[in-house]
Amino acid sequence: MATEVLEGRGRSHLRQTLAVVALMIMAPLLGRLLAGGDPEVYLRFPPRPLEPAPGSFSLPVFTLYAVLIVGTLLPFVVRIIVANRRTADGAPAPRTASAGWPRWGSVALVALLIVWVIAWVPIPGFETLRRYSFTPLWLAYIGVISAWIRQRGGRVLLCEQPRRFLALFPASALFWYLFEYLNQFTGNWIYTGTGVAEHDALNWFVRSALPFSTVLPAVLVTRDLFATWPTLSRGLDDFIRISPPRPVATAWAVLVAGGLGLVAIAIRPDTFFSLVWVGPPMLIVAIQAISGERHLFSGVATGQWRDAWLAVLAALFCGLCWELWNVFSLARWTYHIPNAQVLHIFEMPLLGYAGYLPFGLTCVVAAQLLTGTDPRARYD
């Protein structure tokens, strides 16, 4: 019976995955067709934008985006601050038992420092190592963060579910290739200094698959680390309750909205480029809800927003690290953000970091979809 249940879940996840992939591929192609363009030029490998987006600045648009972002985040921030003040005025919060810093964590930390130097310092004869430094840099980061989780008494996916943890790497590569495909329609980031010709698809795949494979593991372990600090999400386990009277109908509406968003990025990319980050999590969560599966937002009916918030924080922190390590990298990328190309932090314009917020949600729900990883943060 247990085997039949697992097989049934596996088939369900496969159907959901195929549905999400099909929608992410077909929706922008439909948009391009409606706009009078040629969809076939986007069905190529490697996926590369036809041209970068215009990096412009518009104060009204910038202000509108800033107000929307701050207005969305502010209630959560206020809730956390108030909850932490109440805790400080009452009984002290229980401490998490420490398991000690593991030896493999020290190895990962040393490796991180060494690779960081190689990635940034133009040492003669190390050019090839610099160009390939991204993957070992993030592997070391994942190891250090996992060791930190263990030291803080948290639950380490690497130790508790090693097979599922390893499955995140190939799943992550597939996952990010879909975003590379979507970027063809918007041209928001361009790779420079890769040393790979566009027509050399095999070489590009070899060089890109490994670094792309570190995205999901990095975000998930960072989320689990942040879960060991209750102050980061205190009060969000009993916050705004959203319980639609017709959940399945609501899920279908979200699915349609997410699909239309991806259609829109191909029709008016300079206007709707931000939907590249909003559309995919809408599609995944909607399909999971329609299938009757527990998803990242299942708990919001009872006011549980903590897991979603931690996913957002984790992706934002990883985003800062991605952009930091990109600064002096040989194989680097640049951004082209319409109406917001101002106030850069590293290569990324300030408002561009808002994309990491829904991207964190996407990482968690995609990990669940592709590997069966629990979308809830791993607490002690």
Side-chain angles (χ1 to χ4, degrees):
M1 179 64 70
T3 302
E4 294 177 357
V5 171
L6 290 175
E7 290 178 352
R9 288 179 179 175
R11 288 192 294 268
S12 176
H13 282 181
L14 178 59
R15 289 193 295 268
Q16 294 172 29
T17 300
L18 293 176
V20 169
V21 171
L23 286 170
M24 289 182 66
I25 292 175
M26 298 303 297
L29 290 180
L30 174 60
R32 194 61 189 151
L33 188 63
L34 293 174
D38 181 10
E40 291 186 10
V41 299
Y42 299 96
L43 297 175
R44 57 179 181 164
F45 193 90
R48 296 288 180 88
L50 298 180
E51 59 182 5
S56 56
F57 175 70
S58 168
L59 183 58
V61 176
F62 181 92
T63 303
L64 176 61
Y65 268 110
V67 169
L68 290 174
I69 294 165
V70 172
T72 300
L73 297 179
L74 189 58
F76 292 88
V77 175
V78 170
R79 174 70 171 182
I80 293 169
I81 293 174
V82 171
N84 279 312
R85 285 181 176 175
R86 289 175 179 172
T87 300
D89 294 337
R95 289 181 173 270
T96 302
S98 174
W101 184 266
R103 290 183 178 179
W104 50 266
S106 299
V107 174
L109 180 58
V110 171
L112 177 65
L113 296 175
I114 292 174
V115 179
W116 193 339
V117 171
I118 292 174
W120 273 16
V121 179
I123 303 173
F126 278 66
E127 290 79 7
T128 301
L129 290 177
R130 285 188 68 194
R131 202 176 298 280
Y132 286 98
S133 62
F134 189 90
T135 301
L137 191 61
W138 277 97
L139 289 175
Y141 169 92
I142 293 166
V144 169
I145 298 299
S146 296
W148 199 353
I149 297 170
R150 181 171 177 180
Q151 189 271 335
R152 290 188 53 80
R155 301 178 60 192
V156 184
L157 183 61
L158 168 64
C159 300
E160 295 186 6
Q161 299 182 36
R163 291 185 179 180
R164 186 155 287 168
F165 173 79
L166 292 176
L168 286 172
F169 288 87
S172 179
L174 168 64
F175 161 77
W176 187 251
Y177 278 128
L178 289 172
F179 281 94
E180 294 292 335
Y181 166 78
L182 294 178
N183 186 49
Q184 293 184 113
F185 298 89
T186 60
N188 291 141
W189 64 89
I190 303 293
Y191 294 102
T192 61
T194 61
V196 181
E198 286 197 23
H199 65 273
D200 193 350
L202 179 60
N203 197 359
W204 193 88
F205 172 76
V206 171
R207 291 199 181 192
S208 63
L210 288 178
F212 292 169
S213 73
T214 61
V215 175
L216 290 184
V219 173
L220 263 64
V221 298
T222 304
R223 177 206 60 180
D224 290 345
L225 173 65
F226 288 172
T228 65
W229 274 289
T231 54
L232 293 177
S233 58
R234 182 167 283 124
L236 297 186
D237 52 354
D238 186 17
F239 192 33
I240 303 170
R241 301 190 179 194
I242 299 178
S243 182
R246 300 176 61 187
V248 175
T250 301
W252 277 106
V254 171
L255 180 68
V256 172
L260 290 177
L262 295 184
V263 171
I265 68 170
I267 297 176
R268 294 288 299 274
D270 295 348
T271 302
F272 298 109
F273 64 91
S274 60
L275 297 181
V276 165
W277 308 109
V278 178
M282 293 176 68
L283 295 180
I284 297 174
V285 171
I287 288 176
Q288 290 173 332
I290 292 169
S291 302
E293 185 171 347
R294 181 178 180 85
H295 53 78
L296 181 61
F297 293 98
S298 294
V300 301
T302 58
Q304 211 289 73
W305 289 88
R306 181 170 50 176
D307 296 324
W309 178 256
L310 289 174
V312 165
L313 291 184
L316 183 58
F317 182 82
C318 286
L320 286 169
C321 293
W322 275 311
E323 306 310 333
L324 169 65
W325 287 327
N326 177 46
V327 171
F328 300 114
S329 173
L330 280 185
R332 60 199 305 272
W333 58 89
T334 59
Y335 291 100
H336 306 266
I337 310 296
N339 304 312
Q341 197 79 1
V342 69
L343 301 176
H344 288 65
I345 300 177
F346 310 123
E347 284 290 340
M348 175 73 85
L350 177 61
L351 284 188
Y353 283 93
Y356 283 114
L357 308 181
F359 182 65
L361 306 176
T362 310
C363 288
V364 172
V365 297
Q368 179 189 9
L369 180 70
L370 298 172
T371 69
T373 304
D374 195 324
R376 294 168 291 187
R378 300 172 60 80
Y379 306 102
D380 58 326

